[in-house]
Amino acid sequence: MVKSYQRIFHKILHICIHLILAVVYSCKSFCLWLRNTMEDLPWKLFSYSTYKRAIMDKKELHKIPDHVAIVLNEKHVDYTSLCDLSIWCFLLGVKYLTIADVRKNLKSEVLEKKLASFHAPQLEPISSHADYVDMKDAGNHNIIFTTIGNERRKFIKTIQHLSSEGISEDAVNRDVFDVIHKQQSCGGGIVDPNVLISFGPYYSLYGYAPWDVRLSEIFTLQSHQNLSYSSFIKILRSYSRCNQRQGK
Amino acid sequence: MALLGSDDNIKERWYHRLITSVLQMGHIPQHIGFIMDGNRRFARQKSMKTIDGHSEGFKKLAEVLKWCQDLNVKQVTVYAFSLENFKRTEQEVGELMELARNKFAEILKQKHRLNEYGVCVRFVGDIKRLPQDLQDIIRDLHDATEKNSRCFLNVCVAYTARHEMIEGVKCLMKGVYEEQILVSDINEHMFEQVLQVPKVDLLIRTSGEIRLSDFLLWQSSFSLLSFVDSLWPDLSIWQFYLAILDYQRAYTAKADLEKSNNIEANGNMEYSSVKSKELSHEQRVKQFLSAVKMKQL
């Protein structure tokens, strides 16, 4: 009898703690949104374009990632925000942008039209085939559309390829596997993502390319809806400041 | 009662017991991974020698294992020493090996305690890179606890995830070469089974760094990540409780995502058709994986 009352008491306490946590996280999200809005306000008031901000920020960043990977785990896709994100990346000097869709909601042709409508002459149209997009190099900027399933299948296919070629297992090491695995990628020869931003309800990689994220700096934002430049540039500033000791 | 070290160092308050009971009303992660980062920075902050920082880190490990034990966490994996850490100075590597020698020897003396709690201690990594006497202690510790199965402590020593994944790849390649399995049998589920460490539910990294640094890359692919600002020796039980609460909040969404990935990765593959005298896909895979598990033990 005492034990069952104890259990009920613990259960109620458990629910209360989770309710309090939910309120605290909601307040934290609101404060973050408010801070980003206030930071963007002066730029908007003086009609300073994001283009000019990005050019200024590019000069200040000590280190710019070559490859940014975005993992989307949300029900609704905000193509305008993804478009903005693509252009910010390119303005700041990011060479490769991977957009990995967890829920397979993303339609790459919709993003392609939006990018064209932004009158960004440095971006050429991108054609898509099944889950992958054939990249076209446009001033050294590339967008790769993929899904989580594709990335993981690529890894398994590399193992199957090595097994079927009759290569001796002694000849396989990390570097050899890495080269062969990257050759399987669309376009080939793309570096591992330096920065990975996951958009979703919790902090996770959501299954993204396990082999590739060895040294990726992993950031999370709850949503990509109405993504602000301030929240994105903070991520790149954090990356610019980080010091990877690589075991030393 | 602590699994490692003295009980005196681990004080349990009444509210810890209450919160542990409350947390057990929700889902508890079955496997937690820890990247124990920040020992050297801790030593610098406290004006200690680096090796003393690592020693404090070991004490914190004992404490954290107690927290996990109280919550009935079935499996804990810790990143003790990376293959990349061999790049450090010879003096520091030597001191770390000496610390490992002393601590593992101490744990071996208390093997009765580990057996009492049913703890199986496993070492994962390129163990042959370690000094021979340390390898012997590791083997003795593993042999002394291998029959235990209530909970598992995986210590990653001379380890990187890519090295572990390559060993898994080689295992599968050998299986195909020896005609134990077919190329078409290889899928995500099979690859997971040839890895030495199973998938992780919650991964905690201290010191504020937000990367995996080549730790359990495949296994933590769908995990909840918890990057804590504190240095490892400063990790507090409240930060640990918060990570568990975050896991409970994310549990349903996480489980749904893993389920849909499992169906996509392993459910749609067409396997080679069965001939009457040959083994079916399921039989081939079962035989092969049994042989692999025996070899790992």
Side-chain angles (χ1 to χ4, degrees):
Chain A
M1 187 70 137
V2 173
K3 272 194 177 168
S4 65
Y5 278 129
Q6 223 174 32
R7 202 178 156 79
I8 292 167
F9 171 66
H10 290 157
K11 192 76 188 167
I12 293 169
L13 212 53
H14 186 247
I15 293 168
C16 289
I17 289 172
H18 273 287
L19 278 172
I20 293 168
L21 202 60
V23 168
V24 166
Y25 280 141
S26 300
C27 291
K28 199 176 161 190
S29 296
F30 176 74
C31 290
L32 204 63
W33 169 84
L34 196 64
R35 196 171 75 174
N36 288 334
T37 309
M38 297 305 287
E39 280 174 14
D40 283 335
L41 201 57
W43 302 98
K44 285 183 179 157
L45 281 174
F46 292 105
S47 304
Y48 217 73
S49 70
T50 312
Y51 173 80
K52 284 183 185 168
R53 279 179 79 181
I55 299 300
M56 273 172 53
D57 287 326
K58 187 179 174 181
K59 288 177 191 164
E60 286 172 11
L61 292 171
H62 301 298
K63 206 165 56 169
I64 290 170
D66 284 331
H67 183 181
V68 171
I70 306 291
V71 180
L72 275 181
N73 184 20
E74 289 186 82
K75 272 187 197 163
H76 304 290
V77 180
D78 180 354
Y79 290 98
T80 307
S81 286
L82 286 182
C83 210
D84 283 335
L85 189 64
S86 311
I87 293 171
W88 299 336
C89 281
F90 302 151
L91 289 174
L92 289 162
V94 172
K95 293 197 188 86
Y96 301 100
L97 171 66
T98 297
I99 301 179
D101 183 18
V102 177
R103 299 189 192 205
K104 297 186 184 176
N105 293 337
L106 183 70
K107 292 180 178 54
S108 57
E109 60 274 12
V110 175
L111 185 60
E112 179 190 322
K113 274 188 193 160
K114 271 241 176 257
L115 277 168
S117 75
F118 271 50
H119 302 291
Q122 64 267 36
L123 295 165
E124 289 180 14
I126 304 152
S127 62
S128 62
H129 172 70
D131 292 338
Y132 262 101
V133 171
D134 293 328
M135 289 183 298
K136 276 192 183 176
D137 191 354
N140 215 24
H141 306 301
N142 303 278
I143 303 180
I144 308 148
F145 292 95
T146 184
T147 64
I148 296 302
N150 268 337
E151 292 303 308
R152 298 173 77 80
R153 262 196 297 278
K154 227 168 44 182
F155 183 83
I156 298 299
K157 276 184 184 159
T158 308
I159 305 175
Q160 289 176 336
H161 168 76
L162 285 168
S163 303
S164 60
E165 290 292 302
I167 298 169
S168 161
E169 77 221 36
D170 295 326
V172 175
N173 57 33
R174 282 175 291 180
D175 296 328
V176 166
F177 188 90
D178 197 38
V179 165
I180 296 171
H181 179 56
K182 283 184 166 47
Q183 278 169 0
Q184 305 266 331
S185 309
C186 184
I190 301 170
V191 295
D192 293 337
N194 309 105
V195 167
L196 186 143
I197 309 174
S198 81
F199 293 100
Y202 55 94
Y203 209 151
S204 176
L205 293 164
Y206 299 116
Y208 180 76
W211 180 264
D212 298 348
V213 295
R214 183 174 72 104
L215 295 176
S216 305
E217 297 289 318
I218 305 164
F219 298 87
T220 189
L221 291 171
Q222 211 161 10
S223 176
H224 74 291
Q225 310 285 336
N226 301 313
L227 187 65
S228 72
Y229 178 79
S230 296
S231 50
F232 177 68
I233 197 62
K234 272 186 196 136
I235 286 173
L236 291 202
R237 283 191 189 125
S238 289
Y239 171 75
S240 171
R241 284 191 302 264
C242 80
N243 174 27
Q244 294 202 348
R245 298 177 302 278
Q246 308 227 14
K248 287 186 195 159
Chain B
M1 192 188 268
L3 289 171
L4 307 176
S6 162
D7 287 334
D8 299 335
N9 297 332
I10 301 166
K11 292 175 187 168
E12 201 178 61
R13 310 264 187 237
W14 65 267
Y15 47 83
H16 290 153
R17 284 196 296 277
L18 173 64
I19 291 171
T20 301
S21 302
V22 168
L23 284 175
Q24 285 177 321
M25 293 294 112
H27 293 282
I28 297 294
Q30 288 302 289
H31 185 185
I32 303 180
F34 290 95
I35 302 179
M36 307 183 291
D37 196 13
N39 293 334
R40 289 186 298 176
R41 274 168 278 175
F42 177 84
R44 273 198 298 274
Q45 269 180 14
K46 305 285 179 188
S47 306
M48 284 175 172
K49 288 184 197 168
T50 306
I51 196 61
D52 293 334
H54 289 299
S55 196
E56 289 299 311
F58 184 83
K59 285 183 194 165
K60 179 55 67 175
L61 172 61
E63 205 179 328
V64 168
L65 290 176
K66 175 79 174 63
W67 301 342
C68 293
Q69 183 198 1
D70 290 341
L71 279 175
N72 295 324
V73 174
K74 181 99 174 150
Q75 194 152 189
V76 173
T77 302
V78 296
Y79 202 5
F81 190 83
S82 164
L83 278 170
E84 305 292 325
N85 293 150
F86 279 112
K87 292 179 195 167
R88 293 185 182 180
T89 61
E90 215 176 292
Q91 188 197 351
E92 189 179 347
V93 173
E95 284 174 349
L96 281 167
M97 293 297 131
E98 187 57 33
L99 179 69
R101 227 175 253 119
N102 294 336
K103 294 299 178 188
F104 292 152
E106 240 177 77
I107 297 167
L108 194 56
K109 283 181 195 163
Q110 295 182 40
K111 64 184 176 198
H112 60 280
R113 212 180 236 192
L114 293 170
N115 290 332
E116 190 186 326
Y117 281 90
V119 180
C120 176
V121 183
R122 297 189 288 211
F123 291 87
V124 183
D126 193 3
I127 310 293
K128 292 188 184 92
R129 294 275 305 257
L130 302 173
Q132 186 58 47
D133 57 341
L134 187 51
Q135 286 185 45
D136 294 338
I137 298 173
I138 281 171
R139 194 183 47 247
D140 291 342
L141 192 48
H142 176 261
D143 291 344
T145 60
E146 68 177 334
K147 290 195 170 69
N148 298 331
S149 60
R150 202 188 298 171
C151 48
F152 297 88
L153 170 61
N154 304 313
V155 182
C156 294
V157 184
Y159 171 92
T160 57
R162 279 194 174 180
H163 177 264
E164 187 197 9
M165 288 162 84
I166 289 298
E167 291 304 304
V169 169
K170 286 182 179 183
C171 182
L172 292 173
M173 284 174 67
K174 193 176 175 192
V176 170
Y177 181 75
E178 290 175 357
E179 294 179 356
Q180 292 174 329
I181 50 169
L182 301 176
V183 171
S184 57
D185 289 334
I186 299 171
N187 59 18
E188 277 190 45
H189 170 75
M190 198 165 195
F191 182 69
E192 273 162 24
Q193 297 298 307
V194 298
L195 294 176
Q196 292 185 288
V197 178
K199 70 176 178 66
V200 171
D201 296 317
L202 170 64
L203 185 79
I204 298 176
R205 179 173 187 156
T206 52
S207 87
E209 306 290 356
I210 51 170
R211 54 184 176 269
L212 298 183
S213 297
D214 221 342
F215 180 61
L216 301 180
L217 295 176
W218 188 272
Q219 296 92 329
S220 59
S221 197
F222 289 97
S223 307
L224 176 75
L225 304 175
S226 180
F227 296 113
V228 177
D229 288 335
S230 302
L231 302 174
W232 173 253
D234 283 331
L235 180 68
S236 82
I237 197 166
W238 302 105
Q239 289 167 318
F240 178 69
Y241 286 152
L242 185 61
I244 300 293
L245 285 166
D246 286 342
Y247 174 80
Q248 291 179 344
R249 277 166 55 85
Y251 180 78
T252 309
K254 187 177 162 305
D256 288 343
L257 181 62
E258 281 182 88
K259 194 176 168 186
S260 67
N261 178 69
N262 278 342
I263 292 168
E264 190 191 330
N266 307 311
N268 295 336
M269 295 192 68
E270 288 175 14
Y271 299 108
S272 297
S273 58
V274 179
K275 288 186 184 173
S276 57
K277 287 180 187 172
E278 289 178 3
L279 298 174
S280 67
H281 159 75
E282 285 79 18
Q283 285 168 324
R284 280 195 302 271
V285 167
K286 196 177 170 185
Q287 248 179 33
F288 173 72
L289 290 175
S290 305
V292 166
K293 291 295 174 203
M294 285 297 297
K295 204 172 164 189
Q296 281 176 354
L297 288 171

